[in-house]
Amino acid sequence: MAKRKAREVAVSDPVVKQTENEPSTSEHGLDFKNKERVLIVTSRGITFRYRHLMLDMMQLLPHAKKDSKLDTKTERNLINEVAELKGCTTGMFFETRKHKDLYVWLGKTPAGPTAKFHVTNVHTMAELKLSGNHLKGSRPVLSFDATFDQEPHLQVLKEMLTQTFAVPRRHHKVKPFFDHVMSFTVADGRIWIRNYQVLPNPEKKKAAPGDVTLVEVGPRACLNPIKMFAGSFGGPVIYENPSFVSPNAIRAALKKQQSGKYGAKVDAREHRKQHVAANPLPRSELADVFQ
């Protein structure tokens, strides 16, 4: 009896009727299904801040899969094998060097292309403690700056970021809501990533586009593109950033500048000694009066 009532309620439900009456994709000849999956792996020696950034990315990408840390930093072709085993089409590799510098490899597996970024200005959600909050697992609205359409390498990066952060519609971990916006802006040759919550006006029952406000949620990151490769995590270089300066060169320049200050002090001391020796003070006539 209970099963019969449940069946009658299911048939009489207007939502169920609407879904049953909706035309399927096969009727329109659209059999496409987004099967994008993202593999996220890290290298050994990752710091706590970069690990928290990776966990924030896992929360923003419900279609992502995580694997154990890689023991090598040179044989990145292993990511293609792990992605094939996991059924992923995109790989995101967090590489840490000297426990200071974070590099992110974003590549399409197994054919490519691949982009290598230097990540700076990292601020995690636990660190920011902003007032914004959106549903976990919801689909984001991707907002790209108009600068992405001006240069060829930015167009390729836009497509790669779109395929990575555009959550599939029918994934089993995805909520069917759009309640946050991910912004990608180009400034100073870098890509700035921000995440905002779409907050409607609580005083109005029906939200209008003009009444919606954006509240930042986090995390924050800045991607400085270094190189782009034709293959997956390797291959010939198709783009190289001429204005990129490695953090090792910056630290070496700072050390050289500091050593230059010390060398100037030593030279000034030696010059003072030579000046005193070359110009002795004349003997005073009253020097022996109080002896």
Side-chain angles (χ1 to χ4, degrees):
M1 189 70 180
K3 292 183 178 179
R4 183 180 301 175
K5 288 184 179 180
R7 191 176 302 173
E8 291 175 358
V9 171
V11 172
S12 61
D13 192 357
V15 179
V16 176
K17 287 184 178 180
Q18 184 178 0
T19 54
E20 290 178 355
N21 295 330
E22 284 182 356
S24 61
T25 55
S26 59
E27 295 179 3
H28 296 281
L30 301 176
D31 295 333
F32 173 75
K33 184 179 180 181
N34 190 357
K35 295 184 179 180
E36 290 287 338
R37 302 293 184 270
V38 181
L39 175 67
I40 298 180
V41 291
T42 63
S43 62
R44 294 287 179 182
I46 188 171
T47 60
F48 69 95
R49 174 174 289 183
Y50 299 151
R51 184 175 66 252
H52 291 173
L53 177 64
M54 182 202 66
L55 295 178
D56 292 344
M57 289 296 175
M58 288 290 298
Q59 293 182 1
L60 293 176
L61 302 175
H63 61 298
K65 298 180 180 180
K66 186 174 64 173
D67 199 74
S68 59
K69 297 178 181 179
L70 291 181
D71 295 330
T72 178
K73 296 181 181 180
T74 56
E75 299 179 359
R76 288 181 293 272
N77 293 327
L78 297 175
I79 302 176
N80 296 326
E81 300 178 3
V82 178
E84 185 179 0
L85 294 175
K86 295 282 186 177
C88 299
T89 58
T90 303
M92 186 180 295
F93 178 45
F94 289 78
E95 180 183 1
T96 308
R97 295 182 181 177
K98 296 185 176 180
H99 300 278
K100 298 179 181 179
D101 307 325
L102 176 63
Y103 298 90
V104 171
W105 294 72
L106 184 63
K108 301 295 295 182
T109 58
T114 305
K116 181 181 179 181
F117 303 96
H118 178 223
V119 186
T120 57
N121 298 332
V122 175
H123 300 282
T124 60
M125 285 191 285
E127 178 185 359
L128 291 173
K129 296 181 180 179
L130 297 172
S131 59
N133 188 16
H134 61 79
L135 186 65
K136 183 179 180 180
S138 60
R139 302 177 65 195
V141 177
L142 303 182
S143 175
F144 288 91
D145 189 10
T147 314
F148 279 96
D149 298 330
Q150 297 180 1
E151 298 184 13
H153 72 281
L154 292 178
Q155 294 177 1
V156 177
L157 292 178
K158 178 182 177 180
E159 184 64 27
M160 293 178 64
L161 293 173
T162 301
Q163 295 183 14
T164 303
F165 289 93
V167 181
R169 180 181 178 184
R170 294 180 177 86
H171 194 270
H172 61 280
K173 293 184 179 179
V174 173
K175 307 297 188 302
F177 306 105
F178 291 95
D179 61 347
H180 66 286
V181 178
M182 292 200 66
S183 173
F184 300 91
T185 308
V186 178
D188 297 333
R190 305 182 181 188
I191 301 175
W192 302 78
I193 301 177
R194 296 291 185 269
N195 184 28
Y196 299 95
Q197 176 195 2
V198 179
L199 187 63
N201 191 357
E203 298 179 356
K204 296 185 178 181
K205 296 182 180 180
K206 188 175 181 180
D211 299 332
V212 175
T213 57
L214 297 180
V215 182
E216 188 173 0
V217 181
R220 296 177 181 176
C222 178
L223 305 180
N224 190 6
I226 304 175
K227 289 183 180 181
M228 294 180 64
F229 304 90
S232 180
F233 295 95
V237 179
I238 58 178
Y239 171 76
E240 185 173 0
N241 189 1
S243 61
F244 173 73
V245 181
S246 66
N248 291 331
I250 295 176
R251 286 191 290 265
L254 291 176
K255 288 183 179 179
K256 186 176 181 180
Q257 185 179 2
Q258 294 175 358
S259 64
K261 291 182 180 179
Y262 177 74
K265 290 182 181 179
V266 173
D267 294 340
R269 193 181 300 118
E270 294 294 331
H271 181 71
R272 178 63 182 173
K273 290 181 180 179
Q274 295 176 4
H275 178 74
V276 171
N279 302 289
L281 294 174
R283 181 177 177 80
S284 176
E285 297 179 355
L286 304 176
D288 300 332
V289 173
F290 298 100
Q291 291 183 358

